Amino acid sequence: MTVLAHGVTASDANDDLTRDALAVLQPGFEGTAAPVWLLRQVGEGLTAVGLFGRNIASPEQLAALTAQLRAERDDVLVAIDEEGGDVTRLEVRGGSSFPGNLALGAVDDTALTRDVARELGRRLAECGVNLNWAPSADVNSNPDNPVIGVRSFGADTHLAARHTAAYVEGLQAAGVAACTKHFPGHGDTNVDSHHALPRIDVDLDTLAARELVPFRAAIEAGTKAVMSAHILVPALDPTRPATLSPQILTGLLRKELGYEGLIVTDGMEMNAIAGTYGIERGSVLAIAAGADAICVGGGLADEATVLRLRDALVAAVREGALPQERLADAAARVRALAAWTRQARAAAAPGAPLEGSAPGIGLEAARRAVVVSAAAAPVSAPYVATLAPVANIAVGDETPWGVAAELAALVPGTGSGVFPEGATAADILAAAGERTVVAVVRDAHRHPWMAQALDALVAARPDTVVVEMGVPRAEPRGALYIATHGASRVCGRAAAEIIAGA
């Protein structure tokens, strides 16, 4: 056996290298219980896992799942993409109990944002989740953005910054690490990075004054993690997307902004990376650029993927393409965050709920976020027509949205139908008959078919009630116009209460 410096053997060094390669991965998996392969990899050095909607059936089941993982490794990081609002994994089957960022920005009460994030963090912590890939700090400066929209606190830079900081503070007060995303800012894109590589063509001054301000606020608030964006920003790096760019991750985020916490990549199987670099090469380039953790598992969720990425990182070190010190530093940052979350968990009384429970705060926030065009008279036995666009991948199409179910619970005789792309006002009128129509839309300004159907519907039936559940853009229309600033379950409830006169 070869003996290296300080009495370390070649076998020891190889074991350390393999453990470090596993430590930087944040993979997903299938099922509502931890598979044998995942437990095996956690035992061998895997320090983090990622949860998605497919892994969650109930809070009790989720707590049992995280307990399984911690039986293998007490400090394992259990991460989730739980933004609240439209993007929910914890309540993927019924819709979120929280209104989401745009609604919080519309209220513009940082104390409310902090309390909402703390309550969300409390629920995650009680289920054993200790790393949340949230909040989105993106300034939604491009209203046609297909992937951010209501996930942003808004189009105003300083509003987004103060609410990002409040969200980070609230979430971490519950012992759950925040992961502020998508650095250096995904708000001015018109392409979804799940499908292709977005590009932001603005100068450095604009970036500094707009995109970077909320991230500076998050860093000052102590965010434990930052997630990189799969976007090309030529003013910063003309050749590589942010996730793979040393200039952006090390030069800008680490050195210029002084950030010392964990840097996590966005999902590496997203086509912006996988379709251009491949996930193995992309993962090596990301760690070399300054990332510390590789998020993968939204679509690729098996042991083979974990082993492929582990082996690619080990091979890159051995071939000289990735300095071993860089990989070791990344692994150390992952373990440091794991240690912080374990300490935060231990600080709570064993078996006791966290203090400061505020179970109704999500609905309270949703009610405060609603904007109404006129005084509302109760509507009897309406017909709810939901004009449904194709959901982006981040939101998913498995989570229900709208006002139909909530209104039916308040108003007897409520009817409803879902109208996909291509539907017309005539289709809606034929289904509604003589009943008052409640037209529910989502980002109508981005979908010409929806805007056309809505215009024709209001022209034919001036008594139509319009509920906008996306980013509100159009002038109020219909007899009553309600903007909810999000499409979560509580946003639907808040709108339904107004329509029902409750």
Side-chain angles (χ1 to χ4, degrees):
M1 181 178 294
T2 303
V3 178
L4 304 178
H6 308 295
V8 177
T9 67
S11 176
D12 292 335
N14 288 335
D15 288 345
D16 288 344
L17 177 57
T18 300
R19 281 194 292 268
D20 286 348
L22 280 172
V24 303
L25 303 180
Q26 293 187 353
F29 59 95
E30 299 285 347
T32 54
V36 172
W37 71 262
L38 183 64
L39 296 175
R40 179 171 57 248
Q41 293 302 326
V42 169
E44 292 182 3
L46 188 69
T47 311
V49 300
L51 299 179
F52 297 86
R54 61 177 180 248
N55 304 123
I56 300 169
S58 69
E60 296 76 17
Q61 166 270 324
L62 179 55
L65 167 58
T66 59
Q68 266 189 298
L69 295 166
R70 293 209 165 86
E72 288 293 329
R73 183 186 183 112
D74 184 53
D75 66 345
V76 67
L77 286 168
V78 181
I80 196 169
D81 194 6
E82 182 58 51
E83 299 177 13
D86 289 26
V87 179
T88 180
R89 312 305 178 213
L90 199 61
E91 299 181 277
V92 67
R93 290 168 176 79
S96 180
S97 300
F98 301 93
N101 284 5
L102 188 65
L104 294 172
V107 177
D108 196 13
D109 179 346
T110 54
L112 177 67
T113 296
R114 190 176 296 107
D115 289 345
V116 165
R118 191 177 193 279
E119 174 63 15
L120 177 58
R122 185 189 67 80
R123 296 189 194 185
L124 291 174
E126 287 186 343
C127 294
V129 178
N130 54 10
L131 172 59
N132 191 8
W133 293 320
S136 168
D138 306 299
V139 179
N140 198 54
S141 55
N142 184 347
D144 292 326
N145 194 316
V147 70
I148 301 300
V150 297
R151 300 167 67 196
S152 165
F153 289 109
D156 180 275
T157 297
H158 297 288
L159 179 145
R162 60 180 173 265
H163 287 277
T164 295
Y167 194 108
V168 168
E169 292 164 356
L171 191 65
Q172 293 185 171
V176 176
C179 182
T180 305
K181 61 188 182 186
H182 307 80
F183 188 82
H186 210 309
D188 192 20
T189 61
N190 58 10
V191 172
D192 185 343
S193 51
H194 291 89
H195 303 299
L197 180 63
R199 178 185 177 110
I200 295 181
D201 284 307
V202 297
D203 57 32
L204 291 174
D205 289 343
T206 300
L207 288 169
R210 187 177 66 188
E211 272 73 17
L212 298 183
V213 174
F215 290 97
R216 288 184 185 274
I219 293 168
E220 291 175 5
T223 186
K224 295 294 180 181
V226 169
M227 179 176 282
S228 66
H230 302 332
I231 58 175
L232 189 67
V233 187
L236 297 172
D237 187 332
T239 59
R240 286 188 179 175
T243 295
L244 311 183
S245 170
Q247 294 97 308
I248 294 175
L249 298 189
T250 299
L252 177 58
L253 183 53
R254 286 276 186 236
K255 295 181 180 178
E256 184 173 334
L257 300 188
Y259 176 65
E260 292 296 331
L262 190 75
I263 300 177
V264 184
T265 73
D266 206 344
M268 295 301 285
E269 69 269 45
M270 293 165 63
N271 207 45
I273 299 296
T276 305
Y277 297 88
I279 63 167
E280 292 97 333
R281 181 170 175 244
S283 296
V284 170
L285 290 173
I287 298 295
D292 306 305
I294 301 296
C295 176
V296 66
L300 299 170
D302 54 26
E303 187 172 25
T305 299
V306 173
L307 297 179
R308 280 166 56 198
L309 295 180
R310 179 202 67 184
D311 293 347
L313 291 166
V314 169
V317 169
R318 290 175 176 163
E319 294 164 4
L322 174 63
Q324 185 164 0
E325 296 78 7
R326 170 78 276 272
L327 180 61
D329 173 65
R333 291 180 190 273
V334 175
R335 294 177 187 127
L337 180 57
W340 178 86
T341 60
R342 180 170 56 183
Q343 292 167 0
R345 190 171 78 253
L354 294 173
E355 294 181 359
S357 175
I361 197 167
L363 180 55
E364 174 194 338
R367 287 168 173 161
R368 290 178 62 184
V370 170
V371 173
V372 183
S373 65
V379 177
S380 304
Y383 183 84
V384 181
T386 303
L387 283 67
V390 176
N392 68 59
I393 294 174
V395 172
D397 58 8
E398 68 269 41
T399 303
W401 67 280
V403 304
E406 299 295 334
L407 190 57
L410 297 174
V411 180
T414 296
S416 63
V418 177
F419 297 84
E421 184 170 359
T424 66
D427 298 326
I428 296 169
L429 292 171
E434 297 303 313
R435 290 182 287 183
T436 299
V437 176
V438 176
V440 184
V441 296
R442 197 174 187 178
D443 293 338
H445 66 280
R446 292 200 303 107
H447 303 284
W449 71 271
M450 189 184 298
Q452 291 166 10
L454 186 60
D455 287 343
L457 179 62
V458 171
R461 289 277 188 85
D463 64 340
T464 295
V465 175
V466 177
V467 181
E468 169 59 80
M469 305 197 81
V471 178
R473 289 278 293 167
E475 290 295 318
R477 63 184 97 182
L480 175 65
Y481 174 84
I482 302 170
T484 61
H485 300 93
S488 71
R489 177 174 56 81
V490 289
C491 292
R493 172 72 186 192
E497 289 174 347
I498 292 169
I499 297 167

